[in-house]
Amino acid sequence: MMPFVEFKGVYKAYPNSKKTEMKVVLKDINFFIEKNEFVCIIGPSGCGKTTLLNMLAGFEKPLAGQIFYKGEEVKGPSPEKAVVFQEFSLLPWLDVQKNVEFSLIPKLKPDDRKKVADKYIEMVGLSAFKNHRPSSLSGGMKQRVAIARTLAMESELLLMDEPFSSLDEHTRRHLDHELLNIWNKEKRTVLFITHNIDEALLLGTRIILLSASPGKVAMEWNPDKGMDPRSQEYLTLKEDIIERMDRFINDAGKEK
């Protein structure tokens, strides 16, 4: 049975500022994602996490290697692959309801759009605010709208690029738990980029660590869901991840 998503020998580089040589960002990336997995990608800054997500979304192309989605090589963006960015990307002149419905305009009639939007607005806990415009919402509420809009597309693959990184820690933890509850209900396949190890341990059915630039798959973990963050098992696993990530950061510094 073919994997839901597969990276095979993926290599990505960009020209430097003078365009005299190429800076390698990702090198020999090989891994797969099965349907309904929640895979978290972690790694040092600059290791290519966002580039990896953008290539799977179809926004960029690898210079070598291939990326497959449901057995077909990724050639560009498609409605089956929905993305939640760090920025909220809401339309300021539309209220919450219309922002969520906006993603449904190409495929549903107005009454059907409203039903689907209502479902996901309620799921993220914003039913009381559906007539509010983004300017009257907090940062956490704006990101909930962005998540509702993306979920409403009912795409099979959800790509999330550090969606809560700009939020305060309390709001971030709250939205992490909300997202986990949604995933448990909806069982979408998720690729989630984060710098936060606690976030990865809470959300991920699998955690993939990329090495310092050029990014390579360095390590994988399959954390037990429902681990108590105060348990020795949790603390030991977290310490192992931190130590391995620190090692890559220190090695990269020595090379410079």
Side-chain angles (χ1 to χ4, degrees):
M1 185 175 177
M2 70 181 68
F4 194 66
V5 169
E6 186 172 14
F7 287 77
K8 296 183 71 173
V10 170
Y11 171 92
K12 183 67 174 178
Y14 298 101
N16 66 8
S17 57
K18 297 180 180 178
K19 299 184 179 180
T20 56
E21 58 184 37
M22 302 291 281
K23 175 178 173 54
V24 180
V25 178
L26 293 165
K27 186 176 181 180
D28 197 27
I29 298 293
N30 294 280
F31 72 92
F32 61 87
I33 301 172
E34 298 292 2
K35 189 174 178 62
N36 299 333
E37 274 197 288
F38 197 125
V39 175
C40 291
I41 305 291
I42 62 173
S45 295
C47 69
K49 299 185 293 295
T50 294
T51 300
L52 184 149
L53 181 144
N54 285 339
M55 289 192 293
L56 177 53
F59 301 146
E60 299 185 46
K61 294 181 179 180
L63 293 185
Q66 296 169 296
I67 303 170
F68 295 93
Y69 171 65
K70 296 199 298 186
E72 298 289 330
E73 187 172 2
V74 173
K75 298 291 188 180
S78 76
E80 291 183 306
K81 305 188 295 290
V83 185
V84 178
F85 299 101
Q86 294 178 37
E87 299 81 15
F88 310 124
S89 304
L90 302 180
L91 301 175
W93 59 89
L94 297 180
D95 61 22
V96 169
Q97 180 83 34
K98 295 301 182 184
N99 261 286
V100 176
E101 288 184 21
F102 186 79
S103 63
L104 304 172
I105 289 174
K107 62 178 184 178
L108 294 178
K109 296 178 180 178
D111 286 348
D112 294 328
R113 289 203 299 265
K114 185 179 184 306
K115 289 178 183 177
V116 173
D118 282 344
K119 171 186 174 182
Y120 290 103
I121 290 170
E122 181 179 1
M123 191 174 287
V124 299
L126 288 178
S127 293
F129 297 88
K130 61 184 180 181
N131 296 320
H132 290 232
R133 291 190 179 185
S135 59
S136 66
L137 304 177
S138 67
M141 294 167 80
K142 290 176 184 176
Q143 196 59 295
R144 286 197 224 177
V145 178
I147 291 170
R149 182 181 58 191
T150 305
L151 290 172
M153 295 171 64
E154 299 188 335
S155 305
E156 292 190 72
L157 179 61
L158 183 57
L159 308 175
M160 307 187 78
D161 186 11
E162 298 194 72
F164 309 139
S165 61
S166 64
L167 306 176
D168 64 83
E169 192 60 30
H170 174 76
T171 304
R172 180 179 192 147
R173 285 200 303 270
H174 180 70
L175 290 183
D176 281 338
H177 283 281
E178 282 198 2
L179 178 60
L180 186 59
N181 289 335
I182 290 169
W183 178 78
N184 281 324
K185 291 176 185 175
E186 296 270 307
K187 278 295 186 289
R188 309 279 181 93
T189 305
V190 182
L191 181 71
F192 189 99
I193 306 296
T194 182
H195 276 94
N196 189 300
I197 294 172
D198 285 306
E199 187 171 59
L201 285 168
L202 171 68
L203 296 173
T205 58
R206 186 151 52 107
I207 299 172
I208 296 177
L209 171 64
L210 297 186
S211 66
S213 183
K216 300 178 183 178
V217 175
M219 194 76 186
E220 293 189 21
W221 295 268
N222 296 89
D224 293 334
K225 302 304 292 178
M227 272 192 299
D228 184 342
R230 297 164 295 183
S231 69
Q232 190 57 51
E233 178 188 14
Y234 182 98
L235 296 173
T236 299
L237 178 54
K238 180 178 177 180
E239 186 62 31
D240 181 41
I241 295 172
I242 291 171
E243 286 182 2
R244 291 178 186 276
M245 190 182 296
D246 286 348
R247 195 179 307 161
F248 288 124
I249 294 171
N250 292 334
D251 289 347
K254 290 175 185 176
E255 290 176 7
K256 292 179 181 178

